[in-house]
């Protein structure tokens, strides 16, 4: 039976989570803001002097910023559904981009709804099915299919000034990388108020107006700064591309750089970075508008604001302009909690994971915890303390390429099986040469060829170990020099799989540690 408002309020008062709760008989609202591809290192509050993120920096100063927060998968759909369920991607059943989340899965939005919250989501969620009321616990589910349709109906076709160059239609992998990654830092052919994110802001603000007297939990999910790094006409030329660094390559980087990026010049690499930083700047503006509406409605003092991203993004590090890998720029994401009078502002430098977010929010409002959750509540940090057992490592997986990693403050160990020909567009020369040498698929139709390629066995296993204290850029693989560390961390990685994977009981007995890890790496999504 759903919780009544009287029961909800009474329970909230009986279980305060703060050191200095403001005088109110209302339970705290929740405003959950998530960005797409926002790397944790591209924020002023993270010490990045090139980034211009004043609204996010203010939010961080007023709340708790988790400076060493990492995603559990560097790709949109698995990461988002992992956050929503509180389960690692392989347990949530979503490890590839196109897999929809099973609607029977517990989500923390369902738990908030059961707690008495009016739940809503506006924006990009990667549910991979049309948005319908009630799905995954959202009373209102205006996801990307609805947003794209209604936005275009409202704003009509673009009509940019003839004297301003704008970006062409986004055609990733069809166009050369310098075009679809916006190396010229060209604006989207819309003014600020015509942008999709501005439309999204208006919808979110209308929702706040409508439900200002209700306990609400609202998700606002922005598409920025996902490629092609959209920003409006007024934002053009805000960043000088020449100010951005061209990152050095590590000893093993040359061989693993995806072919799609190899033709980029240094000037184009800098231009891509400028476009990305401009899109982050526009994202910051949009976030600021929603936060200002909270203040205007005098809801900010009774609202828990959470800001984060699904995963990070590489801007030339290791020769990459993407996520889809185990390097820190793709895994490190922002995480901020703010609740005036409830949360003690500060910076947390302990390791945290994205699966920690759902347990934390549910803990803060006294909701029923998820029956299966692979994270831990961060509430002690928000109250100025620490959990009894802070994380000593973080786990992430990208099963499209059959790879996973375990990261501590000092070391990162990453294992790739080398057994899967990836179909995400980011194959390197070794994989492509290997496939071409077989000449087994050249006459097949495209879809059959793609299916066959997924069954081929690429060349070899990859083992990487980085000493993050001495080599924060992850440029020197020292696995051969530290076999004892490889052994220790491979056991830790295996244990994360064993303790969370639904098929752990079938792990092969007669196999070594690395072979046992590789048992868990192929995608097993039901779709």
């Amino acid at each position: 039976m759903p919780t009544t408002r009287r029961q909800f309020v009474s329970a909230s008062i009986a279980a305060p989570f703060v050191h200095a709760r403001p005088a109110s008989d209302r339970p705290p609202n929740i405003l959950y803001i998530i960005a797409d591809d926002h790397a944790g290192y591209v924020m002023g509050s993270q010490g990045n002097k090139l980034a211009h993120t004043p609204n996010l920096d203010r939010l961080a100063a007023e709340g708790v910023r988790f400076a060493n927060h990492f995603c559990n998968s560097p790709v949109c759909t698995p990461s988002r559904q992992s956050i929503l369920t509180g389960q690692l991607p392989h347990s949530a059943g979503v490890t590839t981009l196109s897999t929809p989340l099973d609607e029977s899965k517990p989500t923390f939005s369902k738990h908030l709804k059961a707690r008495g919250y009016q739940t809503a989501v506006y924006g990009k969620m990667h549910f991979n099915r049309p948005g319908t009321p009630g799905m995954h616990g959202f009373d209102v589910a205006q996801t990307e299919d609805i947003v794209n349709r209604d936005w275009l109906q409202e704003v009509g076709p673009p009509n940019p000034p003839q004297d301003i160059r704008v970006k062409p239609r986004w055609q990733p992998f069809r166009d050369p990388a310098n075009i679809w990654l916006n190396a010229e830092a060209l604006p989207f052919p819309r003014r600020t108020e015509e942008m999709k994110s501005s439309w999204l802001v208006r919808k979110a603000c209308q929702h706040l107006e409508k439900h200002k007297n209700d306990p609400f939990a609202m998700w606002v999910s922005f598409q920025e700064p996902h490629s092609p790094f959209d920003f409006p006409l007024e934002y053009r030329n805000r960043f000088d591309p020449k100010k951005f660094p061209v990152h050095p390559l590590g000893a093993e980087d040359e061989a693993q750089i995806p072919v799609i990026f190899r033709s980029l010049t240094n000037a184009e690499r800098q231009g891509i970075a400028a476009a990305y930083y401009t899109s982050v700047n526009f994202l910051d503006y949009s976030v600021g508008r929603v936060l200002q509406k909270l203040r205007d409605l005098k809801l900010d003092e009774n609202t828990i604001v959470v800001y984060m991203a699904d995963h990070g993004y590489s801007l030339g590090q290791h020769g990459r302009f993407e996520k889809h890998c185990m390097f820190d720029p793709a895994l490190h994401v922002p995480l901020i909690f703010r609740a005036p009078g409830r949360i003690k502002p500060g910076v947390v430098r302990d390791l945290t994971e994205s699966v920690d977010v759902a347990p934390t929010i549910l803990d803060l409002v006294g909701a029923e915890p998820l029956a299966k959750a692979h994270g831990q509540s961060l509430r002690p940090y928000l109250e100025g303390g620490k959990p009894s057992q802070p994380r000593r490592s973080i786990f992430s997986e990208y099963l499209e390429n059959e790879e996973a990693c375990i990261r501590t403050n000092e070391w990162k160990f990453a294992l790739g099986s080398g057994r899967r020909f990836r179909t995400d567009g980011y194959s390197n020369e070794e994989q492509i040469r290997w496939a071409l040498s077989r000449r087994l698929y050249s006459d097949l139709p495209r879809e059959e060829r793609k299916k066959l390629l997924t069954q081929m066995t690429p060349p070899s296993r990859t083992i990487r170990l980085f000493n993050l204290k001495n080599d924060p850029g992850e440029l020197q693989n020292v696995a051969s020099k530290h076999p004892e560390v490889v052994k220790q961390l491979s056991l830790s990685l295996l244990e994360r799989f064993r303790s969370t994977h639904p098929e752990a009981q079938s792990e092969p007995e007669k196999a070594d540690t690395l072979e046992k890890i590789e048992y868990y790496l192929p995608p097993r999504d039901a779709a």
Side-chain angles (χ1 to χ4, degrees):
M1 179 180 297
T3 306
T4 66
R5 179 173 172 80
R6 182 182 298 276
Q7 290 170 328
F8 186 12
V9 172
S10 298
S12 298
I13 294 174
F17 68 86
V18 295
H19 67 288
R21 182 185 173 97
S24 171
D25 64 349
R26 279 191 55 175
N29 305 308
I30 298 166
L31 174 59
Y32 178 89
I33 304 174
I34 185 168
D36 199 342
D37 287 23
H38 185 192
Y41 62 93
V42 185
M43 285 205 308
S45 55
Q46 192 74 15
N48 188 329
K49 295 182 179 179
L50 287 172
H52 186 58
T53 53
N55 294 296
L56 289 172
D57 296 343
R58 176 181 174 181
L59 184 70
E62 294 172 345
V64 175
R65 178 172 63 86
F66 291 84
N68 287 301
H69 185 71
F70 293 83
C71 68
N72 296 110
S73 183
V75 65
C76 302
T77 310
S79 178
R80 287 169 182 266
Q81 310 325 323
S82 174
I83 294 167
L84 195 62
T85 61
Q87 298 178 32
L88 293 173
H90 57 257
S91 178
V94 180
T95 65
T96 64
L97 188 65
S98 60
T99 303
L101 178 65
D102 187 332
E103 294 206 42
S104 68
K105 281 282 185 180
T107 63
F108 79 95
S109 47
K110 289 180 181 178
H111 281 238
L112 291 173
K113 180 178 173 62
R115 186 76 172 90
Y117 280 96
Q118 194 285 331
T119 57
V121 57
Y122 293 90
K124 187 176 183 181
M125 292 296 286
H126 276 266
F127 288 151
N128 290 325
R129 53 167 54 100
T132 55
M135 70 185 305
H136 302 310
F138 292 106
D139 296 314
V140 176
Q142 295 206 4
T143 50
E144 49 265 60
D145 58 313
I146 298 171
V147 170
N148 290 335
R149 180 197 66 199
D150 291 357
W151 164 64
L152 287 173
Q153 285 180 353
E154 180 176 311
V155 302
N159 185 28
Q162 294 298 312
D163 59 342
I164 297 178
R165 288 187 65 216
V166 298
K167 66 176 63 174
R169 178 186 176 189
W170 189 51
Q171 299 185 110
F173 302 105
R174 294 183 183 181
D175 287 332
N178 65 317
I179 294 177
W180 63 265
L181 289 173
N182 198 14
E184 293 187 84
L186 298 174
F188 192 72
R190 299 277 187 178
R191 295 169 179 82
T192 298
E193 288 306 309
E194 298 174 320
M195 295 291 288
K196 186 188 302 181
S197 287
S198 295
W199 183 91
L200 198 64
V201 166
R202 291 193 291 273
K203 290 297 176 182
C205 291
Q206 290 167 10
H207 189 90
L208 291 175
E209 286 272 10
K210 182 178 180 180
H211 295 282
K212 61 186 177 183
N213 296 318
D214 304 320
F216 63 80
M218 181 174 69
W219 275 241
V220 184
S221 182
F222 293 105
Q223 71 175 29
E224 287 85 17
H226 193 288
S227 63
F229 320 126
D230 287 342
F231 53 86
L233 295 165
E234 298 94 323
Y235 277 63
R236 66 191 187 281
N237 302 323
R238 289 203 172 187
F239 291 85
D240 180 359
K242 295 179 182 179
K243 291 185 177 181
F244 292 92
V246 175
H247 296 279
L249 297 180
E252 296 182 359
D253 284 341
E254 186 66 33
Q256 58 82 38
I257 297 174
V259 172
I260 194 73
F261 303 133
R262 288 179 176 270
S263 63
L264 292 170
T265 67
N266 285 345
E268 288 170 339
R269 294 168 188 269
Q270 291 172 303
I272 293 168
Y276 181 92
Y277 274 65
T278 311
S279 189
V280 169
N281 183 212
F282 178 57
L283 164 71
D284 180 84
Y285 169 75
S286 299
V287 171
R289 294 177 70 179
V290 179
L291 296 178
Q292 183 60 51
K293 187 65 175 181
L294 266 187
R295 288 189 286 270
D296 293 345
L297 294 173
K298 296 182 170 44
L299 294 171
D300 54 320
E301 291 192 357
N302 198 40
T303 299
I304 302 167
V305 177
V306 183
Y307 175 79
M308 67 182 301
D310 50 1
H311 45 71
Y313 200 82
S314 299
L315 289 170
Q317 297 94 331
H318 307 282
R320 296 171 176 266
F321 292 85
E322 46 144 357
K323 47 267 190 183
H324 316 103
C325 64
M326 295 292 108
F327 294 113
D328 267 11
L331 304 180
H332 180 214
V333 293
L335 176 64
I336 302 169
F337 277 78
R338 187 197 74 180
R342 301 174 180 273
I343 288 174
K344 184 176 181 180
V347 179
V348 173
R349 302 197 184 278
D350 287 352
L351 295 170
T352 56
E353 292 183 342
S354 288
V355 287
D356 296 330
V357 172
T360 303
I361 293 175
L362 295 176
D363 187 13
L364 291 180
V365 301
E368 186 74 17
L370 292 159
K372 181 192 289 187
H374 298 146
Q376 62 180 356
S377 174
L378 305 178
R379 173 176 168 176
Y381 290 120
L382 304 179
E383 295 174 339
K386 280 194 174 190
S388 58
Q389 294 184 322
R391 285 200 181 279
R392 302 302 180 200
S393 63
I394 66 96
F395 166 95
S396 197
E397 61 187 350
Y398 183 52
L399 301 193
E400 171 61 41
N401 197 34
E402 291 198 15
E403 56 184 328
C405 80
I406 200 92
R407 185 199 192 279
T408 69
N409 281 321
E410 184 175 2
W411 299 98
K412 178 187 283 182
F413 167 73
L415 175 68
S417 74
R419 297 182 307 197
R420 182 177 174 83
F421 190 94
R422 61 197 299 174
T423 58
D424 58 3
Y426 297 102
S427 298
N428 60 42
E429 282 187 349
E430 182 183 18
Q431 291 173 312
I432 290 176
R433 282 198 305 271
W434 177 89
L436 289 174
S437 70
R438 279 11 185 214
R439 299 180 182 276
L440 297 176
Y441 60 86
S442 57
D443 296 328
L444 290 175
R446 183 173 181 273
E447 288 304 314
E448 291 185 33
R449 186 166 69 247
K450 181 178 178 181
K451 182 178 179 181
L452 179 60
L453 288 176
T454 65
Q455 300 168 352
M456 290 183 172
T457 304
S460 60
R461 171 193 287 168
T462 58
I463 300 172
R464 294 190 177 98
L465 180 72
F466 301 107
N467 185 324
L468 301 175
K469 294 288 187 182
N470 301 330
D471 178 26
E474 304 168 278
L475 298 176
Q476 297 295 325
N477 182 0
V478 294
S480 61
K481 298 179 181 178
H482 297 279
E484 74 288 351
V485 179
V486 170
K487 180 179 179 181
Q488 175 190 351
L489 292 182
S490 61
L491 287 171
S492 297
L493 182 58
L494 178 59
E495 180 53 35
R496 285 301 294 270
F497 275 117
R498 278 178 173 168
S499 62
T500 59
H501 203 285
E503 298 181 19
Q505 72 280 359
S506 300
E507 179 189 300
E509 294 182 9
K510 296 181 179 180
D512 63 28
T513 300
L514 297 185
E515 290 170 337
K516 289 179 178 180
I517 294 172
E518 289 175 344
Y519 160 76
Y520 294 104
L521 295 181
R524 292 173 169 87
D525 299 9

